[in-house]
Amino acid sequence: MLQKKFKIKTEMVPKGDQPQAIEELVEGVEKGLHHQVLLGATGTGKTFTLVNQCYRLLKSATARRILFLVDRRALAAQAVPAFAAIEPEPN
């Protein structure tokens, strides 16, 4: 199977607790945990943290597809541009 390579186009970098959260979420997926929860207050960067987790899972080929669900339009509006930063690298 052909493995796609991905890159993330953003000037933002994980900060504060985000690097540890990303690492722990990725480790959970690699250990086979199918259900994980990321809790945080409004404005703490949960969407950015999950975008980075998805990027790492796609880049490492741990995941081929990711389903990201939201329960409010405001969250969808925030998530779409964040996920648009992940794009396949040209072959």
Side-chain angles (χ1 to χ4, degrees):
M1 178 170 63
L2 180 63
Q3 178 181 342
K4 285 188 177 179
K5 295 184 179 186
F6 292 88
K7 63 181 175 180
I8 190 164
K9 288 178 34 177
T10 182
E11 294 180 12
M12 296 175 59
V13 294
K15 59 186 177 198
D17 292 331
Q18 290 174 332
Q20 180 182 351
I22 294 165
E23 194 65 40
E24 289 178 11
L25 289 166
V26 170
E27 287 174 6
V29 171
E30 290 171 347
K31 290 178 183 175
L33 298 177
H34 295 281
H35 303 281
Q36 298 184 76
V37 176
L38 176 64
L39 297 174
T42 300
T44 58
K46 294 178 297 295
T47 301
F48 182 69
T49 299
L50 289 175
V51 167
N52 274 274
Q53 178 202 13
C54 293
Y55 165 70
R56 289 194 44 197
L57 292 170
L58 290 167
K59 188 167 180 83
S60 69
T62 302
R64 293 186 312 160
R65 293 182 298 255
I66 295 172
L67 176 63
F68 185 84
L69 299 173
V70 297
D71 64 346
R72 294 190 306 271
R73 287 184 183 171
L75 292 175
Q78 177 185 3
V80 168
F83 276 99
I86 300 175
E87 60 184 35
E89 291 180 355
N91 292 334

